[in-house]
Amino acid sequence: MVNFTPLFRPETVAVIGVSTRSDLHPANVIYNKLHLRYPLRVFAVNPKGGRLRNETVYRRLSEIPEPVDLAVIAARADHVPGILEACIRNRVGGATVISGGFAEIGRTDLQERITEMAREAHLPFVGPNCLGIYVPGKLDTFFLPGERLVRPEAGNVALVSQSGGVLVDQMVKFAGQGVGLSLGVSIGNKAMVRELDLLEYLAADESTDVIAFYVEGFGPGEGRRFAQQASRCSKPVVVLKAGKTSEGSRAVSSHTASLAGDHRVFSAVMAQHGIAEANNEYELVSFCEALSCYPRTIEGKVAVVSVSGGHGVLASDACAAHGLRVPELGRDVQEDIQKDLSDSVKGIASLKNPVDLTGSALDDDFAAAVAALSRSEDIDCIILLLLPYSPGITSDLGARLSHIYLQTGKPLVAYVPHVEKFRMLIEGFELNRVPVSSSIEGAVLMVEAMKRCRPC
Amino acid sequence: MLKEAMKQLWETYREAGWIPEPEAKAFFRSGGLAVPRFQTASDREGALAAGEAIGYPVAAKVVSLDVVHKTEAGGVKVGIADATELAETYDRFALLPGFREVLVEEMLSGTEVIIGAKVDVQFGCVVLVGIGGTGVEVYEDTTIRMAPLEAEEAGAMLDRLRGNRLLRGFRGAPPVDREALQHTLATFSRMALEVEGYIESIDLNPVMCTPDGCTIADARIMLSKRGEGRR
């Protein structure tokens, strides 16, 4: 197996192709941020030499005074084979080839040449034609100025994207939902390092608990190996596939060929192997958030708890639409809830499921309901619809209910309107590993993610 | 062995792009799947002898490399009651483009199911099963999985069909032989996977399911252009 450590956990980085004249050059942008903000030693390289930020620009790799783990290559495509050769000669550990101008514009010859060289030398490289690698607080090879990026915090979700643009945009959504990344990598033309390699690496990576992919397409037979490998992986795998509508135009001569269109096959194979397929970028974030908290799968027997009958019904409808059950609670469970409810709620709450604690509910009532539901075998996940306008609910409720989860292990998912004044309530959940969505639909998607990870 | 047989069929029919029904059925029979009793004949006398041997009523289908979709071309006749009707049918089929022979076979009844395979570029051989057989496009009730399948997985596929109830015995009808159907699906998946280098897609459509078993009423194998060294 290829050693990916120098690629994703480098201590020394050479940025090859910096300009001494233009600070807007991609290599300069990368050099600047690594130099100023990251805990690693970075060296600028350009055959012309000179000074950059009052540091030496090395004429060649061999002049750099210590071994280089990662080479970031941002020079013109024609120069890349020569640079890669130098990397191999100088025993560089890995490379990311930012440069475009390869297979994507028809220069498959150039791409094949560098791929062959790298394979022979066991030098893993990401790209070409990519943004490269982002590891929160550790590494960032994106040629986008730091102040323009939205950077998710460090977390346990790895996101592998064929498209750099989608990766950057997805990072905005991850940050917005408070989902942390262990690694973001844009693999571009994926000449050498491909989804399969990263699936294998991330399956063993200790900082990653959820592995997410944005895929435009697999190579011949590659999808089969990916599905098989993902089904053996103990971590949840999430996939967002682009190009769902490219089928249908070809003339097909058999019923099976016309019924088994490309995307139907894709979805069927994902489901067969317990890979959670997200339908769109919002689902991708919801799925990742839920699975980063609860990597285990559930059957999908949901209890809905709210202070509003309307929200309960909306959530039940959404559950049904996503193949989740909201079973009526047995007498025993209802009694188990009832016995701990406060006097003002006891007579008016509806406990059948959805559980409506009414606008009179206090924190204690939520705690009673969640504790009882967590004890019930008829339920394998609880959706909390928390409307903090209700006067009996305090900001402490998030942390309090999370602690019940931490005790019992029964998954909770919360819907709380994402408004700044409810921040403490939300963090009370999120910091204790209970995912929070800003919509009812989003909360339901999170539960669906846990169910989708069951092979079927 | 199956692969060798398929290789020869591929070499014979690569030009046409597909394998005609008699050879396709013989192929699946050699893999242990049930097909109707049938005979082929390239003249009227032979057709009548076949009708006699099979026993009326029979079904007749045209065999022509120019006719992929037999029903649409008027090349299928079911419920033929006697020699007179079979002779008429033969004469009509003989006028169809590219006529090679007629296939005469026993009549089948049962619940129609489609079983198919497709070689997908990304995932290789995948198998499809659906309710409705020849009406499958109307019902749009199919499930797909990557081959090969174990009988148990084949069962899980059937469970995911909306029309699963039809197979389990609906409104007093006896349930179909589920074990036979799962076996057919699993065996078919292994056969298709073994010869995936030669094929583009396969339709077993319909497969007739009864309480006593599952029989492939029609089979069509579409060939890949490049053969074993595909892609």
Side-chain angles (χ1 to χ4, degrees):
Chain A
M1 188 183 156
V2 182
N3 177 15
F4 285 104
T5 309
L7 205 51
F8 300 129
R9 298 280 184 273
E11 288 173 14
T12 52
V13 177
V15 181
I16 302 173
V18 293
S19 164
T20 47
R21 283 181 308 230
S22 164
D23 242 0
L24 292 176
H25 191 282
N28 292 49
V29 175
I30 297 165
Y31 176 83
N32 285 347
K33 53 182 171 183
L34 291 180
H35 178 64
L36 294 172
R37 286 194 293 275
Y38 284 87
L40 36 76
R41 297 183 296 288
V42 57
F43 308 96
V45 180
N46 184 310
K48 296 195 197 89
R51 307 283 294 172
L52 186 64
R53 302 255 171 276
N54 213 20
E55 301 279 342
T56 310
V57 174
Y58 295 89
R59 284 173 201 281
R60 46 185 71 86
L61 272 170
S62 57
E63 288 176 9
I64 295 175
E66 48 186 312
V68 172
D69 292 329
L70 172 67
V72 179
I73 303 173
R76 282 222 326 268
D78 287 327
H79 295 311
V80 173
I83 294 169
L84 213 54
E85 211 168 77
C87 289
I88 293 166
R89 229 182 9 254
N90 289 283
R91 300 178 185 283
V92 169
T96 106
V97 182
I98 309 293
S99 324
F102 293 86
E104 81 279 9
I105 60 153
R107 290 297 306 274
T108 40
D109 56 322
L110 203 55
Q111 186 161 313
E112 274 164 23
R113 202 168 135 207
I114 60 170
T115 310
E116 232 161 81
M117 284 166 52
R119 280 231 175 86
E120 206 164 291
H122 302 288
L123 172 83
F125 79 87
V126 173
N129 186 32
C130 72
L131 276 182
I133 303 158
Y134 173 76
V135 183
K138 303 259 170 59
L139 176 66
D140 176 357
T141 74
F142 295 1
F143 55 81
L144 310 168
E147 69 277 11
R148 289 174 180 259
L149 276 179
V150 175
R151 294 181 298 271
E153 287 182 31
N156 59 355
V157 179
L159 179 54
V160 177
S161 174
Q162 198 171 339
S163 152
V166 169
L167 176 60
V168 170
D169 197 44
Q170 213 61 48
M171 280 168 54
V172 177
K173 296 186 171 63
F174 273 61
Q177 282 290 321
V179 186
L181 283 185
S182 59
L183 169 70
V185 52
S186 127
I187 52 179
N189 295 4
K190 49 183 186 179
M192 181 179 182
V193 173
R194 301 176 67 88
E195 288 88 354
L196 266 176
D197 306 298
L198 292 172
L199 179 57
E200 190 181 350
Y201 165 75
L202 293 166
D205 175 38
E206 283 181 6
S207 60
T208 299
D209 293 324
V210 179
I211 311 171
F213 291 88
Y214 165 79
V215 181
E216 286 168 9
F218 292 112
E222 195 181 28
R224 171 172 283 256
R225 293 195 298 280
F226 179 86
Q228 288 167 337
Q229 201 170 304
S231 74
R232 285 192 299 267
C233 173
S234 62
K235 302 174 184 177
V237 177
V238 184
V239 168
L240 172 62
K241 168 81 165 63
K244 295 182 173 66
T245 51
S246 62
E247 58 190 277
S249 53
R250 278 165 294 144
V252 280
S253 45
S254 71
H255 291 280
T256 303
S258 90
L259 291 163
D262 296 346
H263 191 254
R264 266 210 74 197
V265 170
F266 188 96
S267 296
V269 173
M270 294 301 119
Q272 180 186 353
H273 292 90
I275 299 167
E277 186 193 2
N279 282 312
N280 55 52
E281 71 239 65
Y282 301 103
E283 283 194 16
L284 181 73
V285 182
S286 294
F287 283 12
C288 287
E289 180 168 6
L291 296 169
S292 71
C293 296
Y294 311 117
R296 284 198 310 273
T297 61
I298 59 169
E299 259 179 64
K301 302 176 292 185
V302 183
V304 175
V305 182
S306 77
V307 293
S308 141
H311 283 76
V313 178
L314 286 172
S316 299
D317 288 349
C319 282
H322 290 273
L324 302 166
R325 291 174 48 226
V326 183
E328 189 174 320
L329 297 175
R331 282 243 56 90
D332 52 333
V333 186
Q334 293 193 36
E335 277 161 19
D336 199 15
I337 300 174
Q338 179 82 10
K339 72 178 185 342
D340 294 325
L341 291 182
S342 54
D343 290 338
S344 54
V345 170
K346 233 172 200 153
I348 53 174
S350 164
L351 304 179
K352 283 187 173 148
N353 199 17
V355 175
D356 177 6
L357 297 173
T358 78
S360 306
L362 309 174
D363 285 4
D364 290 343
D365 297 312
F366 271 95
V370 169
L373 290 166
S374 297
R375 283 190 289 268
S376 167
E377 304 234 317
D378 304 336
I379 294 299
D380 58 15
C381 184
I382 303 166
I383 295 180
L384 297 164
L385 306 169
L386 280 188
L387 304 167
Y389 342 108
S390 190
I393 295 175
T394 77
S395 300
D396 295 324
L397 186 55
R400 187 165 168 198
L401 295 180
S402 303
H403 289 152
I404 299 175
Y405 154 66
L406 293 170
Q407 288 288 331
T408 65
K410 183 136 312 179
L412 293 181
V413 170
Y415 154 65
V416 183
H418 275 34
V419 183
E420 211 37 55
K421 61 182 164 192
F422 304 145
R423 198 69 232 160
M424 189 168 140
L425 181 60
I426 293 171
E427 285 192 6
F429 282 118
E430 287 185 339
L431 295 178
N432 292 298
R433 284 249 164 146
V434 170
V436 181
S437 171
S438 58
S439 68
I440 295 174
E441 178 81 10
V444 172
L445 285 174
M446 289 176 178
V447 180
E448 192 197 356
M450 291 182 247
K451 187 186 166 207
R452 275 214 203 172
C453 278
R454 283 173 92 81
C456 56
Chain B
M1 200 183 75
L2 284 169
K3 208 166 173 175
E4 188 51 38
M6 181 52 74
K7 182 167 182 247
Q8 279 173 17
L9 286 167
W10 182 79
E11 274 160 7
T12 309
Y13 291 109
R14 60 189 292 190
E15 200 89 350
W18 62 288
I19 300 173
E21 184 177 348
E23 285 90 333
K25 277 184 172 162
F27 174 75
F28 289 110
R29 187 171 53 198
S30 74
L33 297 181
V35 300
R37 286 183 296 118
F38 70 90
Q39 288 186 10
T40 56
S42 51
D43 54 36
R44 196 199 284 176
E45 289 66 38
L48 295 177
E52 239 12 84
I54 305 283
Y56 294 101
V58 295
K61 300 182 206 169
V62 68
V63 180
S64 158
L65 287 179
D66 296 341
V67 181
V68 183
H69 299 285
K70 296 182 288 279
T71 305
E72 288 80 348
V76 177
K77 173 90 176 157
V78 297
I80 297 170
D82 53 33
T84 318
E85 206 179 343
L86 182 55
E88 278 168 20
T89 305
Y90 178 88
D91 292 345
R92 192 158 54 76
F93 285 0
L95 300 174
L96 290 172
F99 174 81
R100 185 180 92 185
E101 58 193 5
V102 63
L103 180 148
V104 180
E105 70 184 10
E106 64 179 316
M107 286 292 297
L108 296 175
S109 62
T111 305
E112 290 192 13
V113 164
I114 179 175
I115 294 177
K118 177 195 164 184
V119 180
D120 182 88
V121 178
Q122 301 181 77
F123 299 102
C125 185
V126 297
V127 170
L128 169 143
V129 63
I131 295 290
T134 47
V136 64
E137 267 113 354
V138 178
Y139 300 108
E140 292 193 330
D141 186 13
T142 59
T143 55
I144 298 171
R145 272 188 185 233
M146 229 162 72
L149 299 173
E150 296 300 327
E152 193 180 309
E153 297 173 277
M157 276 181 94
L158 298 174
D159 288 340
R160 289 173 67 82
L161 293 170
R162 288 194 306 276
N164 185 34
R165 287 169 69 197
L166 293 170
L167 304 175
R168 293 219 177 260
F170 186 58
R171 297 181 70 119
V176 307
D177 183 345
R178 185 138 177 128
E179 206 173 304
L181 181 52
Q182 289 177 206
H183 170 78
T184 302
L185 194 48
T187 305
F188 170 75
S189 79
R190 287 192 295 273
M191 291 180 77
L193 183 64
E194 189 175 341
V195 301
E196 68 168 342
Y198 297 104
I199 62 168
E200 187 183 274
S201 64
I202 301 174
D203 284 340
L204 307 183
N205 190 24
V207 174
M208 292 298 205
C209 301
T210 70
D212 305 315
C214 298
T215 310
I216 300 167
D218 196 357
R220 183 189 301 140
I221 301 173
M222 307 305 295
L223 294 169
S224 79
K225 293 195 175 50
R226 269 163 285 179
E228 182 75 302
R230 78 209 131 85
R231 292 166 188 154

